[in-house]
Amino acid sequence: MAEITKGILGGFSGKVGTVVGANFRGKDIMRSVPKKSKKKPTEKQLAQRERFTIAAKFLQPLKQYTREYYGPGQGAKSSTNLAMAYHLTDAVVMQNGKMALDYSKVLITKGVLSPVANATATATNLEVTVSWVDNSGEGQAKKTDAVTVFCYSKSLNKFFFYGDKATRQDTKLTFKLPNSWKDKDNVIWMAVANAQANINSTSMYLGVM
């Protein structure tokens, strides 16, 4: 692997012949195209690949939120990188002999703003009602903090986002999920962000509805 320090065109990304260009930890680098290994992967390697696939597939539609609301990056690691690292180690677990997401451990956003208090969610015929207690004044919490609800269909592997419709002081919101979704198949989380969208809470798991 070689680092590009200066050049006519600078760094590049992608494959050119037998050379691959990329940005790794803030540095433009070049490396040769890796040769396919003839060795059979170990069980540990297969498990790690499966873990990565599960986390990546789940987080892909959430990039907008992990990029903006998962705290500041650390060195060359972006907020999205940090979200992936967390879910690989904490949220993908073994359940009944199979690798799966523990939805109660999923964190869609991560921040220092106080979440709402005593949040609950109920759903009937795909109509979801989320209720909470206004705890404005706790830390940096304000009445105008915007509420966002994240819904995930396990069977469809799809997300539904509901935001900018309620604030911390409203203490309740109701919305309808798409008709193609199923009852008792949907995981729900919520988070809040201040009016300037530069401070946010860590997302809260509200259960499967």
Side-chain angles (χ1 to χ4, degrees), residues 47 65 102 120 141 161 177 180:
Y65 294 96
D102 182 340
T120 60
F161 308 113
L177 291 172
S180 59

Side-chain angles (χ1 to χ4, degrees), residues 13 31 43 49 56 101 111 119 124 137 141-142 151 160 194:
S13 177
R31 58 181 174 80
E43 290 187 9
R49 291 177 189 176
L101 270 171
T124 304
K142 295 182 179 179
C151 300
F160 179 88
N194 67 354

Side-chain angles (χ1 to χ4, degrees), residues 33-182:
V33 176
K35 295 181 180 180
K36 292 184 178 180
S37 174
K38 295 181 179 180
K39 292 183 179 180
K40 186 177 180 180
T42 65
E43 290 187 9
K44 186 176 180 180
Q45 289 173 325
L46 290 173
Q48 183 63 14
R49 291 177 189 176
E50 184 180 5
R51 186 184 297 273
F52 184 89
T53 299
I54 291 171
K57 184 178 181 181
F58 178 78
L59 291 173
Q60 176 63 32
L62 296 169
K63 278 190 174 182
Q64 172 190 347
Y65 294 96
T66 57
R67 183 172 59 246
E68 297 180 17
Y69 301 111
Y70 214 84
Q74 296 177 6
K77 291 185 178 180
S78 68
S79 298
T80 298
N81 294 149
L82 295 176
M84 172 62 84
Y86 166 79
H87 286 83
L88 282 174
T89 57
D90 291 79
V92 181
V93 299
M94 290 295 294
Q95 293 181 348
N96 300 320
K98 294 183 179 180
M99 205 80 75
L101 270 171
D102 182 340
Y103 297 110
S104 68
K105 294 183 178 180
V106 164
L107 296 181
I108 297 174
T109 65
K110 198 173 183 180
V112 298
L113 186 63
S114 296
V116 298
N118 302 331
T120 60
T122 58
T124 304
N125 297 326
L126 297 178
E127 184 174 88
V128 179
T129 298
V130 181
S131 303
W132 61 90
V133 172
D134 178 6
N135 58 340
S136 300
E138 180 181 299
Q140 301 181 68
K142 295 182 179 179
K143 293 181 179 297
T144 54
D145 293 337
V147 172
T148 299
V149 177
F150 308 88
C151 300
Y152 174 69
S153 168
K154 293 189 291 181
S155 60
L156 298 176
N157 188 36
K158 288 184 178 180
F159 276 94
F160 179 88
F161 308 113
Y162 192 85
D164 298 325
K165 303 294 183 181
T167 59
R168 191 185 295 267
Q169 66 182 342
D170 291 327
T171 71
K172 184 178 180 179
L173 64 83
T174 300
F175 59 93
K176 187 77 179 290
L177 291 172
N179 291 329
S180 59
W181 288 35
K182 300 177 182 178

